[in-house]
Amino acid sequence: MKNAAIAETEAILEFPMLLSPIQLGPLELQSRVVMGAMHTRLETQPNALEREIAFYRSRAEGGVGLIISGGISPSEDGVFEPGALATSHLDHAYQKELTTAVRDAGSPFIAQLLHAGRYAKIPELVAPSPIAAPINKRTPRGLTSSEVESLVDGFAMAAETTLECGYDGVEIMGSEGYLINQFLASRSNQRDDAWGGDWTRRKRFAVEIVRAVKRITGDNKLLSFRISALELVEHGMTQVEILDLAHDLQAAGIDVFNTGIGWHESRIPTVAQVTPRGAFADAIIQLKQAVQVPVMASNRINTPELAEEILASSAADLVSLCRPLLADADFVRKTAQGRGAQVVPCVACNQACLDRIFVAQAPSCIVNPRAAREIDFSAAKTTASKTVAVVGGGAAGLTAAIEAAANGHDVTLYEASSSLGGLLNLASQIPGKGEFETLLSSMKARAAAAGVNVKLNTRATVDLVSGYDHVIIATGVRPRLPAIDGINHSTVVTYEDILSRRRTAGQRVAIIGAGGIGFDAAEFLVDAHARFSDIATFRAHYGLSTDPKAQGGIDNTATPHLQNDHDITLMQRSGGRMGRTLSITTSWIKRDTLNRAGVRMLDGVDYRKINDDGVHITRAGETQVIAADTVILCAGQSPERGLVDALTLAGVEHEIIGGAEKAAELDAMRAIEQGVRAALAI
Ligand code: NAP
Ligand code: SF4
């Protein structure tokens, strides 16, 4: 998309900054939205080039102003993992085809140079000092002084290689705790040579690399540096040091600063749902005020409105988005066309992107199953429009209806309750999960735009749906009632009762089931006082400092902000660590929250009975009574299939998707993907 050209006047008035061009070094960008570097593993998949081209082209056509490639290592020992890209083994023909395709689609494309240092998941990893990262069980070898010097040249040669491959410039990755960042912080740099010891020597590696790379990029290619604007680790850089570094890097020839927040090993959430939008804006503003070159803001910017607000307040000149562009390749295009309400928002769950990266899978997105799998989904519209009934307005049904209508079918969506959304409505009640409400708003806007005929308060029957050409059943799930003696006791409620606020929990609460919903219910009760409702509370809870000399920007004396009015016991029958089925990258935050709030977590529980005293259990051979005036059932789900049985009996053909098809391991990811696939299969 040549976005400025098709932007509608009203959209420009509403988003004057976001949709305005900007000159970055030698490049003129069409919009202020930059697609930040993402590790996609697409290069390792079958039909890799076709996949990469489809992935990047769709974002370029969607109107982003600049695309940054996934990290490419300047040396073999700096790759993330075996098989990851290093400039020494780049396939030039492949890269040239890719860079040409992206540029032809309307966006400049630069290569990110990233040395993983002690984060590398390879046997021969290196770092400034032989100190293992808490998130990597391998201990790195400390680089010798001459190896460090060679590596500076290595970055310059890597830049040269990527420019030969057709990239429009490079970004040097200096944040998130990767090698350059490791040199900058005393936490990981305990050298005593020309490359470590005091601040002047710790920053030398970064500055020398920029000088060397600038000699390659000159004035004709873009040079970006991703700087750690806030470290969020003990013995990380202070803000004074960060600004001093920025000053030196600017003098060394940087055209633009991209920003990173926190190291990957930080114990403060930086991109999870509990992180309020704009939580780290202060750090970006300080940087912006200290330098003359443009600055990109990043982290938790997932709507055009928020992006515009950041730009309009002069907190930054550009916004760098990663996950939001997985969620919607057309983020800018929709905004420019006055369809901003239809942008599919990233809900910051990490479930299909970062979690998959951590388990060596290819990422996608729970709200956009096409992400990074573009070629696996047909883009052709139907030539044979059908009448379609979709029953159930939760994530699966709503998605199927939107997609089918957008694909040219005549769709009616029946929902028995008075509102759309199903379990998304309950999920959005969980502290930190308000983004599900944003998702639901976007779905409603897309349903309206696609022309879905929504019938609320309408329980579908065989008669109602039997006249349609195609019927999709997405009636969802109901809470499972486990076979425990006393399950009908007056103290027993379901998670639906609590999360919908139909019932209020008493002071002593026992939760049966510690899967995603059990944890959610506990957090809901702990957070009844809206712990993270604002940035100030979040910052106070996690001990963010305002002192510019605080190492890592952390105040170690801060006390957590948690107000728990309940005495909560969370239980599961299986043994082992609680919450192990939850998101790899965010379950630690949930466990940490519940631990700090004093929630008891019991595994290996055998439920015996429920009565006035509470829940009687045996555990490790001992009988205990978990005193409770409220027992919340979070023991999984059963499919809601009343209509399915009736349709089958009446011989009406239908397709079942979402929880109605299979309740176990139901989540938004499966529901949404099944909805898309069901619609495309009509
Ligand atoms: P779930 O994750 O499968 O958890 C069900 C829990 O109930 C487990 O702790 C299970 O543990 C227990 N349980 C199962 N059968 C039981 C029985 N007959 N009696 C007593 N306890 C029983 O399901 P969910 O919590 O309902 O969540 C539904 C889906 O949504 C899951 O796929 C989940 O991953 C997803 N979700 C994810 C999140 C997230 O934050 N990532 C949040 C909410 C939901 P034991 O069998 O060991 O007792
Ligand atoms: Fe965002 Fe979740 Fe999609 Fe990742 S999977 S991009 S966090 S919505």
Side-chain angles (χ1 to χ4, degrees):
M1 162 183 152
K2 307 292 181 215
N3 36 333
I6 73 157
E8 291 177 3
T9 316
E10 277 181 27
I12 293 180
L13 288 177
E14 200 180 342
F15 300 97
M17 293 300 297
L18 190 71
L19 299 174
S20 64
I22 183 172
Q23 189 73 32
L24 277 195
L27 301 177
E28 187 179 354
L29 275 50
Q30 296 296 309
S31 77
R32 304 291 181 109
V33 175
V34 174
M35 175 167 161
M38 282 184 270
H39 188 46
T40 62
R41 287 204 183 96
L42 287 176
E43 69 277 4
T44 62
Q45 293 186 32
N47 307 316
L49 181 57
E50 192 191 349
R51 285 181 185 280
E52 285 216 79
I53 288 178
F55 175 66
Y56 285 115
R57 268 193 80 106
S58 54
R59 274 78 193 164
E61 287 166 357
V64 299
L66 172 71
I67 296 181
I68 306 173
S69 78
I72 306 173
S73 175
S75 67
E76 296 287 338
D77 55 16
V79 293
F80 273 122
E81 60 199 2
L85 287 185
T87 46
S88 56
H89 60 254
L90 275 189
D91 176 340
H92 285 226
Y94 176 113
Q95 291 292 325
K96 276 185 185 156
E97 209 175 320
L98 175 62
T99 52
T100 304
V102 175
R103 212 178 5 262
D104 287 353
S107 171
F109 193 20
I110 66 171
Q112 188 186 69
L113 300 181
L114 181 156
H115 191 302
R118 68 182 194 164
Y119 284 168
K121 298 225 158 66
I122 55 173
E124 303 290 317
L125 65 170
V126 296
S129 303
I131 307 166
I135 56 170
N136 191 355
K137 56 182 187 295
R138 304 160 185 85
T139 301
R141 177 177 66 78
L143 288 158
T144 65
S145 303
S146 63
E147 283 177 321
V148 180
E149 271 171 43
S150 304
L151 204 42
V152 171
D153 293 339
F155 268 90
M157 284 189 283
E160 199 166 13
T161 304
T162 56
L163 298 187
E164 282 165 13
C165 289
Y167 286 96
D168 297 303
V170 295
E171 174 169 282
I172 298 168
M173 175 42 131
S175 65
E176 257 79 8
Y178 291 113
L179 184 75
I180 294 175
N181 207 173
Q182 290 160 25
F183 267 91
L184 290 163
S186 60
R187 170 182 184 80
S188 43
N189 183 348
Q190 294 181 0
R191 307 172 68 96
D192 191 15
D193 64 356
W195 307 99
D198 55 22
W199 168 240
T200 306
R201 286 178 284 163
R202 287 204 310 274
K203 71 178 172 178
R204 185 175 162 209
F205 186 57
V207 177
E208 296 279 340
I209 286 172
V210 169
R211 285 189 186 133
V213 172
K214 184 67 182 179
R215 284 194 282 274
I216 304 299
T217 55
D219 293 332
N220 296 326
K221 300 290 176 183
L222 185 71
L223 178 52
S224 166
F225 187 93
R226 186 151 182 196
I227 192 168
S228 180
L230 183 60
E231 298 268 81
L232 302 180
V233 285
E234 281 184 33
H235 305 294
M237 285 185 285
T238 65
Q239 192 190 39
V240 171
E241 289 170 341
I242 291 167
L243 299 185
D244 176 61
L245 173 69
H247 182 264
D248 285 8
L249 296 178
Q250 181 177 256
I254 286 299
D255 295 314
V256 58
F257 280 108
N258 196 351
T259 50
I261 300 288
W263 290 35
H264 286 314
E265 66 203 59
S266 171
R267 301 302 287 175
I268 297 173
T270 55
V271 294
Q273 288 168 326
V274 293
T275 310
R277 295 170 177 175
F280 310 110
D282 276 5
I284 315 280
I285 293 170
Q286 305 274 2
L287 176 69
K288 165 81 183 135
Q289 289 173 350
V291 297
Q292 281 75 53
V293 297
V295 170
M296 302 179 201
S298 63
N299 282 52
R300 297 284 284 112
I301 305 167
N302 66 344
T303 64
E305 289 77 13
L306 180 62
E308 181 67 23
E309 194 182 311
I310 290 168
L311 298 172
S313 69
S314 300
D317 305 281
L318 302 112
V319 288
S320 168
L321 312 184
C322 291
R323 297 178 304 169
L325 290 169
L326 281 181
D328 198 335
D330 283 335
F331 186 100
V332 182
R333 191 205 312 248
K334 286 179 180 172
T335 308
Q337 294 176 342
R339 299 188 292 129
Q342 294 173 45
V343 166
V344 185
C346 164
V347 296
C349 64
N350 288 358
Q351 218 176 317
C353 52
L354 291 176
D355 282 356
R356 287 192 181 176
I357 287 293
F358 271 79
V359 293
Q361 294 174 358
S364 186
C365 173
I366 72 157
V367 296
N368 176 19
R370 292 178 173 90
R373 302 192 294 177
E374 286 74 12
I375 66 170
D376 299 335
F377 291 80
S378 160
K381 281 207 167 196
T382 185
T383 50
S385 179
K386 291 185 178 172
T387 57
V388 179
V390 179
V391 183
L398 198 41
T399 303
I402 293 166
E403 294 278 340
N407 204 19
H409 297 291
D410 177 3
V411 182
T412 304
L413 174 62
Y414 293 101
E415 166 57 42
S417 77
S418 59
S419 58
L420 293 172
L423 287 178
L424 292 178
N425 289 307
L426 292 187
S428 67
Q429 298 304 309
I430 310 302
K433 290 198 173 180
E435 295 292 4
F436 282 107
E437 207 172 312
T438 321
L439 173 63
L440 188 51
S441 304
S442 151
M443 288 175 127
K444 288 178 185 169
R446 282 179 281 143
V452 176
N453 180 15
V454 177
K455 304 268 189 204
L456 296 176
N457 301 307
T458 309
R459 190 166 288 280
T461 59
V462 173
D463 284 350
L464 205 52
V465 302
S466 54
Y468 287 86
D469 298 332
H470 196 92
V471 179
I472 296 175
I473 303 297
T475 40
V477 293
R478 55 192 141 76
R480 178 191 285 139
L481 301 186
I484 303 171
D485 186 11
I487 195 73
N488 293 320
H489 192 269
S490 60
T491 52
V492 178
V493 297
T494 67
Y495 64 83
E496 274 187 358
D497 294 325
I498 294 295
L499 299 183
S500 66
R501 296 184 165 82
R502 274 199 303 263
R503 297 280 295 269
T504 309
Q507 200 270 326
R508 290 169 305 165
V509 178
I511 300 178
I512 292 182
I517 291 180
F519 266 79
D520 276 356
E523 275 208 276
F524 177 80
L525 297 177
V526 165
D527 272 343
H529 297 282
R531 169 171 46 107
F532 295 135
S533 58
D534 62 33
I535 292 173
T537 315
F538 172 86
R539 293 177 64 95
H541 176 76
Y542 283 108
L544 270 75
S545 176
T546 50
D547 178 359
K549 291 190 179 149
Q551 288 192 328
I554 298 173
D555 175 3
N556 285 320
T557 61
T559 48
H561 266 55
L562 274 179
Q563 192 171 343
N564 177 13
D565 294 342
H566 303 276
D567 174 9
I568 302 172
T569 307
L570 179 62
M571 298 177 282
Q572 68 182 25
R573 297 172 305 175
S574 46
R577 199 164 61 129
M578 308 281 282
R580 63 183 183 280
T581 58
L582 307 183
S583 156
I584 295 176
T585 56
T586 57
S587 57
W588 66 271
I589 304 169
K590 288 175 172 289
R591 266 193 300 273
D592 176 61
T593 300
L594 298 190
N595 277 326
R596 290 189 198 210
V599 172
R600 261 184 311 282
M601 297 191 214
L602 303 182
D603 68 332
V605 168
D606 187 5
Y607 307 108
R608 311 303 296 188
K609 66 177 173 191
I610 301 168
N611 65 15
D612 289 348
D613 298 329
V615 184
H616 297 243
I617 63 168
T618 53
R619 186 166 179 258
E622 279 186 20
T623 301
Q624 298 177 38
V625 180
I626 307 298
D629 41 36
T630 307
V631 179
I632 307 177
L633 298 179
C634 302
Q637 345 269 334
S638 309
E640 182 58 71
R641 284 192 170 194
L643 183 60
V644 170
D645 296 340
L647 289 173
T648 309
L649 208 61
V652 178
E653 272 193 39
H654 57 274
E655 186 180 357
I656 314 169
I657 61 170
E661 188 253 337
K662 183 178 164 218
E665 289 154 30
L666 169 69
D667 55 18
M669 180 156 58
R670 175 154 66 84
I672 290 175
E673 178 157 357
Q674 278 191 321
V676 171
R677 290 195 184 276
L680 294 183
I682 294 170

